Amino acid sequence: MKKRIGVLTGGGDCPGLNAVLRVITKTAIQDFGMEVYGFEDGYAGLVENRFRPLSSWDVSGILTLGGTILGTSNRANPFKYPILKKQKLTYRDLSNQALRHYRKLGLEAIIAIGGDGTLSIASHLMKMGFNMVGVPKTIDNDLKGTDFTFGFDSAVAIVTEAMDRIHTTAESHHRVMIVEVMGRYAGWIALYGGMAGGGDIILIPEIPFDFKKVFSKIKERHKMGKNFSIVVVAEGAYPFRGHQIVKQKVKGSPDPIRLGGISALLSEKIEKKTGFESRFTVLGHLQRGGSPTAFDRILATRFGYEALQLIVKGDFGKMVALQGNEIESIPIEQAIGDLKKVPLDHPLIKVGRSLGISFGN
Protein backbone atom coordinates (compact mmCIF):
# COMPACT_ATOMS: atom_id res chain seq x y z
CA MET A 1 0.00 0.00 0.00
CA LYS A 2 1.29 3.44 -0.91
CA LYS A 3 2.08 5.84 1.89
CA ARG A 4 -0.60 8.49 2.31
CA ILE A 5 -0.16 12.00 3.63
CA GLY A 6 -2.66 14.75 4.33
CA VAL A 7 -2.33 18.49 3.88
CA LEU A 8 -4.49 21.40 5.00
CA THR A 9 -4.40 25.20 4.96
CA GLY A 10 -5.72 26.88 8.11
CA GLY A 11 -6.27 30.42 9.36
CA GLY A 12 -6.42 33.44 7.08
CA ASP A 13 -5.57 33.09 3.41
CA CYS A 14 -2.49 34.66 1.88
CA PRO A 15 -0.44 34.52 -1.33
CA GLY A 16 1.86 31.49 -1.45
CA LEU A 17 -0.42 28.80 -0.02
CA ASN A 18 -0.96 27.21 -3.42
CA ALA A 19 2.78 27.16 -4.04
CA VAL A 20 3.19 24.97 -0.95
CA LEU A 21 0.40 22.61 -2.04
CA ARG A 22 1.97 22.36 -5.49
CA VAL A 23 5.43 21.31 -4.36
CA ILE A 24 4.19 18.92 -1.66
CA THR A 25 1.85 17.12 -4.05
CA LYS A 26 4.20 16.89 -7.02
CA THR A 27 7.24 15.84 -4.98
CA ALA A 28 5.31 13.31 -2.88
CA ILE A 29 3.91 11.64 -6.00
CA GLN A 30 6.88 11.86 -8.34
CA ASP A 31 9.77 11.29 -5.93
CA PHE A 32 8.23 8.99 -3.32
CA GLY A 33 5.16 7.40 -4.91
CA MET A 34 2.89 8.71 -2.14
CA GLU A 35 -0.80 9.51 -2.21
CA VAL A 36 -1.76 13.03 -1.15
CA TYR A 37 -5.11 13.98 0.39
CA GLY A 38 -6.12 17.61 0.77
CA PHE A 39 -8.53 18.47 3.58
CA GLU A 40 -11.03 21.15 2.65
CA ASP A 41 -11.44 24.35 4.68
CA GLY A 42 -8.63 23.68 7.13
CA TYR A 43 -9.37 21.56 10.17
CA ALA A 44 -13.06 21.57 9.23
CA GLY A 45 -12.25 19.01 6.55
CA LEU A 46 -10.50 16.79 9.07
CA VAL A 47 -13.40 16.96 11.52
CA GLU A 48 -16.12 16.51 8.90
CA ASN A 49 -14.15 14.03 6.78
CA ARG A 50 -14.17 16.34 3.76
CA PHE A 51 -11.11 15.70 1.65
CA ARG A 52 -10.02 15.01 -1.90
CA PRO A 53 -7.07 13.20 -3.42
CA LEU A 54 -4.61 15.55 -5.07
CA SER A 55 -2.84 14.66 -8.29
CA SER A 56 -0.03 16.44 -10.09
CA TRP A 57 -2.66 17.65 -12.53
CA ASP A 58 -4.73 19.19 -9.71
CA VAL A 59 -1.84 21.42 -8.62
CA SER A 60 -0.49 22.23 -12.05
CA GLY A 61 -0.64 25.94 -12.84
CA ILE A 62 -1.51 27.12 -9.32
CA LEU A 63 1.89 28.60 -8.42
CA THR A 64 0.79 32.13 -9.34
CA LEU A 65 -2.67 31.95 -7.74
CA GLY A 66 -3.43 33.72 -4.47
CA GLY A 67 -5.59 32.12 -1.80
CA THR A 68 -5.83 28.34 -1.49
CA ILE A 69 -7.51 25.77 -3.73
CA LEU A 70 -8.43 23.76 -0.62
CA GLY A 71 -10.23 26.59 1.15
CA THR A 72 -9.49 27.63 4.72
CA SER A 73 -11.09 28.46 8.05
CA ASN A 74 -9.91 30.24 11.18
CA ARG A 75 -12.78 28.94 13.34
CA ALA A 76 -12.57 25.18 12.79
CA ASN A 77 -10.81 24.16 15.99
CA PRO A 78 -11.39 20.40 16.53
CA PHE A 79 -11.16 20.92 20.30
CA LYS A 80 -13.79 23.68 20.26
CA TYR A 81 -15.79 23.05 17.14
CA PRO A 82 -18.65 25.44 16.36
CA ILE A 83 -22.04 23.78 15.82
CA LEU A 84 -25.25 25.63 15.01
CA LYS A 85 -28.17 23.90 16.70
CA LYS A 86 -31.66 25.40 16.70
CA GLN A 87 -30.16 28.74 15.64
CA LYS A 88 -27.88 28.70 18.67
CA LEU A 89 -24.11 28.43 18.36
CA THR A 90 -22.56 25.82 20.64
CA TYR A 91 -19.10 24.26 20.85
CA ARG A 92 -18.03 20.64 21.13
CA ASP A 93 -14.75 18.78 21.39
CA LEU A 94 -14.66 16.74 18.17
CA SER A 95 -10.96 15.94 18.25
CA ASN A 96 -11.64 12.20 18.66
CA GLN A 97 -13.81 12.32 15.55
CA ALA A 98 -10.92 13.95 13.69
CA LEU A 99 -8.60 11.19 14.97
CA ARG A 100 -10.94 8.48 13.67
CA HIS A 101 -10.91 10.06 10.21
CA TYR A 102 -7.11 10.37 10.32
CA ARG A 103 -6.71 6.68 11.21
CA LYS A 104 -9.36 5.48 8.76
CA LEU A 105 -7.49 7.15 5.91
CA GLY A 106 -4.27 5.51 7.07
CA LEU A 107 -2.28 8.72 6.92
CA GLU A 108 1.43 8.76 7.57
CA ALA A 109 1.21 12.40 8.67
CA ILE A 110 -0.54 15.71 8.06
CA ILE A 111 1.21 18.89 6.93
CA ALA A 112 -0.56 21.86 8.53
CA ILE A 113 0.08 25.17 6.77
CA GLY A 114 -0.83 28.15 8.92
CA GLY A 115 0.04 30.62 11.63
CA ASP A 116 0.01 30.53 15.42
CA GLY A 117 -3.58 29.28 15.70
CA THR A 118 -3.22 26.50 13.14
CA LEU A 119 0.08 25.31 14.58
CA SER A 120 -1.20 25.47 18.18
CA ILE A 121 -3.98 23.07 17.18
CA ALA A 122 -1.38 20.86 15.47
CA SER A 123 0.56 20.77 18.73
CA HIS A 124 -2.51 19.54 20.65
CA LEU A 125 -3.31 16.95 17.97
CA MET A 126 0.21 15.55 18.26
CA LYS A 127 -0.50 14.65 21.89
CA MET A 128 -3.44 12.54 20.69
CA GLY A 129 -1.34 10.50 18.28
CA PHE A 130 -1.35 12.55 15.10
CA ASN A 131 1.91 12.86 13.19
CA MET A 132 2.09 16.56 12.31
CA VAL A 133 4.52 18.76 10.40
CA GLY A 134 4.08 22.55 10.28
CA VAL A 135 4.64 25.14 7.56
CA PRO A 136 4.61 28.77 8.80
CA LYS A 137 2.25 31.17 7.04
CA THR A 138 1.04 34.65 7.94
CA ILE A 139 1.16 38.05 6.33
CA ASP A 140 1.84 39.49 9.79
CA ASN A 141 5.29 37.81 10.07
CA ASP A 142 4.69 37.41 13.81
CA LEU A 143 5.50 33.69 14.15
CA LYS A 144 8.51 32.80 16.28
CA GLY A 145 11.39 30.66 15.06
CA THR A 146 11.42 31.82 11.46
CA ASP A 147 12.94 35.01 10.09
CA PHE A 148 10.13 35.39 7.58
CA THR A 149 6.83 33.73 6.78
CA PHE A 150 5.55 33.56 3.22
CA GLY A 151 2.71 35.99 2.56
CA PHE A 152 4.53 38.79 4.35
CA ASP A 153 6.57 39.96 1.36
CA SER A 154 3.44 39.99 -0.83
CA ALA A 155 1.57 42.09 1.73
CA VAL A 156 4.48 44.55 1.95
CA ALA A 157 4.51 44.81 -1.84
CA ILE A 158 0.81 45.78 -1.81
CA VAL A 159 1.44 48.41 0.87
CA THR A 160 4.40 49.80 -1.08
CA GLU A 161 2.40 50.11 -4.30
CA ALA A 162 -0.48 51.78 -2.44
CA MET A 163 1.92 54.29 -0.89
CA ASP A 164 3.46 55.07 -4.28
CA ARG A 165 -0.02 55.96 -5.55
CA ILE A 166 -1.00 57.90 -2.43
CA HIS A 167 2.27 59.82 -2.52
CA THR A 168 1.38 61.53 -5.79
CA THR A 169 -2.05 62.66 -4.65
CA ALA A 170 -0.69 63.81 -1.27
CA GLU A 171 1.87 65.98 -3.00
CA SER A 172 -0.62 67.32 -5.54
CA HIS A 173 -3.21 68.33 -2.92
CA HIS A 174 -0.74 69.27 -0.14
CA ARG A 175 -2.35 66.84 2.27
CA VAL A 176 -1.36 64.59 5.12
CA MET A 177 -2.20 61.09 3.93
CA ILE A 178 -2.51 58.25 6.41
CA VAL A 179 -2.28 54.59 5.38
CA GLU A 180 -3.55 52.01 7.88
CA VAL A 181 -2.13 48.50 7.43
CA MET A 182 -2.69 45.07 8.96
CA GLY A 183 -0.45 43.26 11.42
CA ARG A 184 -2.62 42.92 14.53
CA TYR A 185 -0.28 43.23 17.51
CA ALA A 186 2.98 43.35 15.53
CA GLY A 187 4.35 46.15 13.37
CA TRP A 188 6.26 44.22 10.71
CA ILE A 189 4.05 45.20 7.75
CA ALA A 190 3.96 48.86 8.80
CA LEU A 191 7.74 48.98 9.32
CA TYR A 192 8.75 47.27 6.08
CA GLY A 193 5.96 48.80 4.01
CA GLY A 194 6.58 52.24 5.46
CA MET A 195 10.29 52.07 4.75
CA ALA A 196 9.83 50.73 1.22
CA GLY A 197 7.11 53.27 0.42
CA GLY A 198 8.96 56.30 1.76
CA GLY A 199 6.76 57.01 4.77
CA ASP A 200 7.57 60.13 6.77
CA ILE A 201 6.00 58.82 9.98
CA ILE A 202 5.72 55.12 10.85
CA LEU A 203 3.67 54.07 13.87
CA ILE A 204 3.84 50.49 15.17
CA PRO A 205 2.40 48.73 18.25
CA GLU A 206 5.86 48.13 19.71
CA ILE A 207 6.47 51.90 20.07
CA PRO A 208 3.54 53.76 21.69
CA PHE A 209 3.43 57.15 20.01
CA ASP A 210 3.00 60.69 21.24
CA PHE A 211 0.43 62.74 19.29
CA LYS A 212 2.50 65.87 19.87
CA LYS A 213 5.54 64.22 18.24
CA VAL A 214 3.43 63.37 15.20
CA PHE A 215 2.09 66.93 14.93
CA SER A 216 5.59 68.34 15.39
CA LYS A 217 7.05 66.20 12.58
CA ILE A 218 4.33 67.31 10.16
CA LYS A 219 4.83 70.99 11.03
CA GLU A 220 8.59 70.59 10.71
CA ARG A 221 8.21 69.19 7.19
CA HIS A 222 6.03 72.14 6.17
CA LYS A 223 8.60 74.59 7.48
CA MET A 224 11.18 72.84 5.30
CA GLY A 225 8.98 73.33 2.24
CA LYS A 226 7.47 69.82 2.25
CA ASN A 227 3.77 70.65 2.15
CA PHE A 228 2.60 67.04 2.42
CA SER A 229 3.33 64.05 4.68
CA ILE A 230 2.75 60.30 4.51
CA VAL A 231 1.89 58.48 7.73
CA VAL A 232 1.91 54.67 7.87
CA VAL A 233 0.14 53.26 10.91
CA ALA A 234 -0.30 49.65 11.99
CA GLU A 235 -3.86 48.74 12.98
CA GLY A 236 -2.54 47.83 16.44
CA ALA A 237 -0.61 51.07 17.04
CA TYR A 238 -1.73 53.15 20.00
CA PRO A 239 -0.78 56.38 21.79
CA PHE A 240 1.39 56.53 24.89
CA ARG A 241 -0.80 55.91 27.95
CA GLY A 242 -3.61 55.04 25.56
CA HIS A 243 -4.98 51.80 24.16
CA GLN A 244 -5.54 50.01 20.88
CA ILE A 245 -8.74 50.84 19.04
CA VAL A 246 -11.13 47.90 18.76
CA LYS A 247 -13.33 48.15 15.69
CA GLN A 248 -15.61 45.27 16.73
CA LYS A 249 -15.77 41.99 18.64
CA VAL A 250 -16.82 38.88 16.77
CA LYS A 251 -18.47 36.11 18.78
CA GLY A 252 -17.25 32.61 18.00
CA SER A 253 -13.95 33.69 16.55
CA PRO A 254 -10.69 32.36 18.07
CA ASP A 255 -9.48 35.97 18.00
CA PRO A 256 -12.69 37.95 18.63
CA ILE A 257 -11.03 41.38 18.69
CA ARG A 258 -10.97 43.22 15.37
CA LEU A 259 -8.58 46.15 15.47
CA GLY A 260 -9.08 49.19 13.28
CA GLY A 261 -9.85 52.88 13.37
CA ILE A 262 -6.54 54.36 14.45
CA SER A 263 -6.08 56.07 11.05
CA ALA A 264 -9.43 57.86 11.33
CA LEU A 265 -8.54 59.13 14.79
CA LEU A 266 -5.12 60.28 13.64
CA SER A 267 -6.57 62.07 10.62
CA GLU A 268 -9.08 63.96 12.77
CA LYS A 269 -6.50 65.03 15.34
CA ILE A 270 -3.87 66.02 12.76
CA GLU A 271 -6.31 68.25 10.90
CA LYS A 272 -7.53 69.84 14.12
CA LYS A 273 -4.10 70.40 15.71
CA THR A 274 -2.01 71.32 12.64
CA GLY A 275 -4.58 72.93 10.36
CA PHE A 276 -3.41 70.78 7.44
CA GLU A 277 -5.93 68.83 5.42
CA SER A 278 -5.77 65.12 6.12
CA ARG A 279 -7.18 61.94 4.58
CA PHE A 280 -6.86 58.28 5.55
CA THR A 281 -6.94 54.98 3.66
CA VAL A 282 -7.45 51.54 5.23
CA LEU A 283 -5.88 48.89 3.00
CA GLY A 284 -7.53 46.00 4.83
CA HIS A 285 -7.84 42.69 3.01
CA LEU A 286 -6.21 44.03 -0.13
CA GLN A 287 -3.01 43.01 1.62
CA ARG A 288 -4.05 39.35 1.62
CA GLY A 289 -5.11 38.98 -1.99
CA GLY A 290 -3.51 38.60 -5.39
CA SER A 291 -0.51 36.74 -6.72
CA PRO A 292 2.48 36.04 -4.48
CA THR A 293 5.72 37.89 -5.09
CA ALA A 294 8.72 36.02 -6.47
CA PHE A 295 10.22 35.90 -2.96
CA ASP A 296 7.08 34.32 -1.50
CA ARG A 297 6.75 31.81 -4.34
CA ILE A 298 10.29 30.61 -3.74
CA LEU A 299 10.04 30.64 0.07
CA ALA A 300 6.72 28.76 0.01
CA THR A 301 8.17 26.20 -2.40
CA ARG A 302 11.25 25.66 -0.23
CA PHE A 303 9.08 25.32 2.88
CA GLY A 304 6.79 22.74 1.27
CA TYR A 305 9.68 20.68 -0.06
CA GLU A 306 11.47 20.57 3.29
CA ALA A 307 8.23 19.77 5.16
CA LEU A 308 7.82 16.69 2.98
CA GLN A 309 11.42 15.65 3.67
CA LEU A 310 10.62 15.69 7.39
CA ILE A 311 7.80 13.23 6.79
CA VAL A 312 10.03 10.97 4.71
CA LYS A 313 12.56 10.93 7.56
CA GLY A 314 9.83 10.37 10.16
CA ASP A 315 10.83 13.58 11.92
CA PHE A 316 7.39 14.65 13.11
CA GLY A 317 6.33 17.47 15.43
CA LYS A 318 8.55 19.95 13.61
CA MET A 319 7.95 23.21 11.76
CA VAL A 320 10.13 24.31 8.86
CA ALA A 321 11.65 27.75 9.31
CA LEU A 322 13.80 30.26 7.45
CA GLN A 323 16.90 31.08 9.46
CA GLY A 324 19.30 33.26 7.53
CA ASN A 325 19.39 31.78 4.04
CA GLU A 326 18.76 28.20 5.16
CA ILE A 327 15.57 26.23 5.78
CA GLU A 328 15.83 24.61 9.19
CA SER A 329 13.31 22.78 11.37
CA ILE A 330 12.29 23.51 14.95
CA PRO A 331 9.80 21.86 17.33
CA ILE A 332 6.32 23.26 16.72
CA GLU A 333 6.06 24.14 20.42
CA GLN A 334 8.90 26.64 20.01
CA ALA A 335 7.01 28.55 17.34
CA ILE A 336 3.67 29.03 19.10
CA GLY A 337 2.45 31.02 22.08
CA ASP A 338 4.20 34.37 22.23
CA LEU A 339 4.11 36.51 19.10
CA LYS A 340 7.30 37.65 17.41
CA LYS A 341 7.24 41.44 17.63
CA VAL A 342 9.53 44.08 16.14
CA PRO A 343 12.53 44.53 18.48
CA LEU A 344 13.20 48.13 19.44
CA ASP A 345 16.76 47.83 18.18
CA HIS A 346 15.73 46.50 14.78
CA PRO A 347 18.13 47.71 12.03
CA LEU A 348 15.29 49.25 10.00
CA ILE A 349 14.26 51.42 12.95
CA LYS A 350 17.84 52.64 13.31
CA VAL A 351 18.10 53.36 9.59
CA GLY A 352 14.70 55.07 9.64
CA ARG A 353 15.70 57.45 12.41
CA SER A 354 18.88 58.33 10.49
CA LEU A 355 16.70 59.14 7.48
CA GLY A 356 14.60 61.49 9.58
CA ILE A 357 11.58 59.20 9.79
CA SER A 358 9.54 59.71 12.95
CA PHE A 359 8.27 56.74 14.94
CA GLY A 360 6.17 59.00 17.11
CA ASN A 361 8.39 58.94 20.16
Side-chain angles (χ1 to χ4, degrees):
M1 183 177 176
K2 290 183 177 180
K3 282 188 176 181
R4 295 176 175 175
I5 63 170
V7 61
L8 60 86
T9 52
D13 70 302
C14 78
L17 286 168
N18 286 324
V20 184
L21 297 177
R22 171 178 175 264
V23 69
I24 288 172
T25 302
K26 287 194 171 187
T27 306
I29 293 172
Q30 293 167 190
D31 288 3
F32 302 105
M34 295 179 174
E35 293 179 345
V36 183
Y37 288 81
F39 289 99
E40 298 175 340
D41 302 327
Y43 287 113
L46 184 60
V47 170
E48 299 173 11
N49 207 29
R50 290 191 286 111
F51 62 89
R52 51 177 157 147
L54 296 176
S55 67
S56 294
W57 179 262
D58 293 321
V59 298
S60 179
I62 68 172
L63 174 66
T64 62
L65 299 180
T68 164
I69 62 169
L70 291 179
T72 187
S73 172
N74 56 8
R75 300 190 182 194
N77 182 346
F79 298 94
K80 189 180 178 183
Y81 202 76
I83 297 175
L84 191 62
K85 192 173 183 179
K86 294 182 180 180
Q87 297 185 332
K88 184 178 180 181
L89 190 63
T90 58
Y91 296 91
R92 289 180 57 192
D93 183 349
L94 298 181
S95 55
N96 283 323
Q97 180 173 304
L99 182 60
R100 287 196 299 272
H101 296 153
Y102 170 81
R103 288 175 173 169
K104 187 176 180 180
L105 276 173
L107 298 178
E108 181 81 5
I110 292 177
I111 298 177
I113 310 166
D116 185 76
T118 301
L119 296 178
S120 293
I121 293 171
S123 176
H124 289 301
L125 291 175
M126 282 159 43
K127 297 171 185 176
M128 297 181 62
F130 286 80
N131 290 332
M132 304 293 296
V133 170
V135 173
K137 171 258 8 166
T138 169
I139 68 168
D140 301 331
N141 198 44
D142 59 359
L143 202 60
K144 291 192 304 180
T146 182
D147 292 346
F148 291 103
T149 54
F150 70 84
F152 171 67
D153 187 70
S154 297
V156 170
I158 295 296
V159 173
T160 305
E161 181 181 355
M163 289 181 63
D164 288 348
R165 294 175 182 273
I166 283 173
H167 194 106
T168 57
T169 192
E171 191 168 7
S172 297
H173 289 273
H174 317 311
R175 289 173 176 161
V176 177
M177 300 295 282
I178 304 167
V179 180
E180 182 176 324
V181 303
M182 284 180 162
R184 297 198 300 173
Y185 308 107
W188 295 103
I189 295 178
L191 177 60
Y192 275 70
M195 290 292 292
D200 304 302
I201 301 170
I202 300 174
L203 306 177
I204 61 177
E206 293 83 351
I207 305 176
F209 64 88
D210 184 338
F211 279 112
K212 292 181 179 179
K213 296 285 186 181
V214 174
F215 306 150
S216 176
K217 178 62 180 179
I218 293 169
K219 290 177 180 178
E220 176 190 318
R221 283 179 52 79
H222 275 71
K223 287 181 181 178
M224 294 170 58
K226 295 288 186 179
N227 55 8
F228 72 96
S229 295
I230 307 292
V231 181
V232 182
V233 58
E235 62 185 355
Y238 60 96
F240 182 66
R241 292 179 180 171
H243 55 82
Q244 293 172 322
I245 296 180
V246 177
K247 185 178 180 180
Q248 66 178 126
K249 293 186 178 181
V250 181
K251 289 184 179 180
S253 173
D255 185 10
I257 294 177
R258 297 287 186 271
L259 298 173
I262 185 62
S263 58
L265 177 65
L266 268 171
S267 181
E268 179 186 347
K269 286 186 174 292
I270 287 172
E271 201 162 279
K272 184 181 292 185
K273 296 295 184 179
T274 67
F276 303 127
E277 193 175 359
S278 177
R279 296 287 188 274
F280 68 92
T281 298
V282 181
L283 295 184
H285 286 79
L286 285 174
Q287 296 157 89
R288 287 193 180 279
S291 298
T293 59
F295 179 89
D296 277 343
R297 295 179 196 190
I298 292 170
L299 180 59
T301 299
R302 293 179 70 191
F303 275 166
Y305 178 83
E306 293 299 336
L308 183 62
Q309 304 309 308
L310 291 176
I311 290 179
V312 172
K313 293 185 292 186
D315 194 4
F316 307 120
K318 298 289 185 63
M319 181 193 84
V320 292
L322 178 67
Q323 296 180 354
N325 292 320
E326 302 299 323
I327 305 296
E328 307 290 348
S329 64
I330 63 173
I332 289 176
E333 287 82 358
Q334 291 184 12
I336 59 178
D338 297 330
L339 297 177
K340 180 185 73 178
K341 296 189 175 184
V342 178
L344 299 183
D345 62 349
H346 192 280
L348 276 186
I349 294 178
K350 292 181 178 180
V351 172
R353 293 193 192 281
S354 295
L355 287 170
I357 296 172
S358 170
F359 291 90
N361 67 337

